């Protein structure tokens, strides 16, 4: 069984529609796919329909923009009730923060003599509620300023680059609790990845587990072999679920092809068992896994 639990569609900053993503997952020989767009569930309905039609097992999820001890943490959330009010309120704040920083990024770029405007970004971000730096990058590509997203991040948008602008992110501890109360489970995405300027250690992860964290994403392209081995050991010590995933963004991110990393079936089933327990305890109406 080939299981990929972290992917993006055009509902955030992937380049494929949910239907195209599901088709690509089937073509790549995957048996289980999780759709985890940034800070939105807008892709869920289309993905579920496509998965049912194309015979793919689909887990509805999200990748939430959170902050912990002043550092950004990406938190994967699986199968929460998307209508749980505290979760909706946090998502609204995050999405407002995403929209709010666009004019600042454009102003910074204009100071550098790059003439893009809000309309360029709106066009690049058509179809998503979660406007992000990748859409600004796409606008720069469309204007011929850079060749691809990578160049846009390297020159302008990445951390420490001149058009980098911070935005609101939800407190990690609150979000872990909200997702649990919404009947879902959480997994820290790429905990020691490129964008993690402070790496949570075993003690940090143990504290997060105490408040409800279910697992960590160990096999991710941002992690080299020694990093994976170290994270796997921590997960084993703590009893955290270990996942592996592509973080596929369609054509938007090189070297993140579907299935490039996968999750072991027994780890996937542990995660589903924890989700079932959280759902039962929450009393919320949680989404089912789509099963062909
Ligand atoms: P944002 O959420 O708007 O801050 O943008 C973060 C997103 O940008 C993440 O989903 C990354 O996948 C993406 N990203 C970061 N660096 C790069 C890069 N070098 N090339 C393409 N996408 C990137
Ligand atoms: Zn992304
Ligand atoms: Fe991420
Ligand atoms: Fe991601």
């Amino acid at each position: 069984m080939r299981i990929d639990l972290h992917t993006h569609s055009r509902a955030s900053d992937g380049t494929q529609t949910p239907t195209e993503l599901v088709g690509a997952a089937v073509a790549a020989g995957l048996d289980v796919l999780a759709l985890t767009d940034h800070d939105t569930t807008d892709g869920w309905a289309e993905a579920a329909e496509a998965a049912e039609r194309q015979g793919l097992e689909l887990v509805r999820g999200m990748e939430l923009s959170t902050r912990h001890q002043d550092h950004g943490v990406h938190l994967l959330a699986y199968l929460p009730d998307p209508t749980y009010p505290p979760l909706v309120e946090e998502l609204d704040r995050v999405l407002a923060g995403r929209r709010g920083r666009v004019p600042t990024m454009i102003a910074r770029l204009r100071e550098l003599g790059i003439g893009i405007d809000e309309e360029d970004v709106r066009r690049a971000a058509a179809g998503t509620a979660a406007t992000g730096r990748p859409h600004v990058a796409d606008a720069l590509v469309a204007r011929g300023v850079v060749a691809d997203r990578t160049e846009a991040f390297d020159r302008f948008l990445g951390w420490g680059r001149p058009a980098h602008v911070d935005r609101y992110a939800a407190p990690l501890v609150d979000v872990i609790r909200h997702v649990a109360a919404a009947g879902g489970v959480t997994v820290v995405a790429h905990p020691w990845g490129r964008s993690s300027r402070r790496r949570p250690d075993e003690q940090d992860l143990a504290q997060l587990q105490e408040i409800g964290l279910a697992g960590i994403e160990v096999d991710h392209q941002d992690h080299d072999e020694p990093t994976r081995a170290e994270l796997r050991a921590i997960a084993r010590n703590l009893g955290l679920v270990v996942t592996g995933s592509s973080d596929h963004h369609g054509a938007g991110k090189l070297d993140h092809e579907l299935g490039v990393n996968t999750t072991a079936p027994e780890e996937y089933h542990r995660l589903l068992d924890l989700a079932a327990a959280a759902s039962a305890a929450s009393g919320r109406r949680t989404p089912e896994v789509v099963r062909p």
Side-chain angles (χ1 to χ4, degrees), residues 15-252:
T15 60
Q16 295 154 306
T17 65
T19 304
E20 289 165 350
L21 176 64
V22 166
V26 171
L30 292 176
D31 302 289
V32 181
L33 179 80
L35 175 66
T36 54
D37 276 309
H38 298 281
D39 306 312
T40 179
T41 62
D42 286 352
W44 281 14
E46 183 185 324
E49 219 172 276
E52 219 156 282
R53 227 176 21 240
Q54 301 192 45
L56 183 72
E57 184 161 327
L58 179 90
V59 179
R60 283 167 268 210
M62 265 182 285
E63 183 177 15
L64 300 162
S65 305
T66 80
R67 191 164 311 244
H68 189 52
Q69 297 164 345
D70 230 22
H71 294 276
V73 175
H74 286 182
L75 185 72
L76 295 161
Y78 299 104
L79 302 167
D81 173 359
T83 69
Y84 179 62
L87 189 58
V88 173
E89 280 161 32
E90 270 305 344
L91 286 175
D92 284 347
R93 273 195 279 273
V94 171
L95 294 178
R98 285 181 166 285
R99 287 189 298 273
R101 83 171 155 168
V102 171
T104 318
M105 282 195 278
I106 287 169
R108 296 267 180 86
L109 289 165
R110 294 185 82 93
E111 279 165 29
L112 298 168
I114 295 160
I116 74 164
D117 56 35
E118 289 196 42
E119 186 47 41
D120 291 315
V121 177
R122 245 196 305 277
R123 208 174 299 124
T128 178
T131 308
R133 286 179 283 164
H135 305 110
V136 178
D138 290 346
L140 291 171
V141 173
R143 284 269 174 194
V145 177
V146 295
D148 52 29
R149 284 184 180 182
T150 305
E151 188 187 347
F153 274 85
D154 289 349
R155 285 177 57 194
F156 303 114
L157 303 171
W159 176 255
R161 307 311 300 158
H164 180 275
V165 178
D166 220 354
R167 62 171 160 77
Y168 176 80
L172 173 64
V173 169
D174 294 358
V175 178
I176 291 175
R177 292 204 172 103
H178 292 334
V179 171
V185 287
T186 49
V187 171
V188 176
H190 45 74
W192 291 0
R194 257 186 300 248
S195 62
S196 316
R197 283 171 301 114
R198 184 181 170 283
R199 301 176 150 206
D201 61 15
E202 181 162 338
Q203 198 184 335
D204 297 323
L205 291 167
Q207 279 169 5
L208 298 176
Q209 185 181 25
E210 225 160 275
I211 61 164
L213 181 73
I216 55 176
E217 187 179 57
V218 170
D219 291 299
H220 183 281
Q221 292 303 77
D222 276 9
H223 297 153
D224 60 15
E225 273 311 324
T227 300
R228 295 179 190 206
E230 230 176 299
L231 282 170
R232 215 181 297 281
I234 291 175
R236 196 177 306 117
N237 288 343
L238 298 177
L240 287 166
V241 172
V242 170
T243 70
S245 300
S246 64
D247 201 357
H248 183 65
H249 283 67

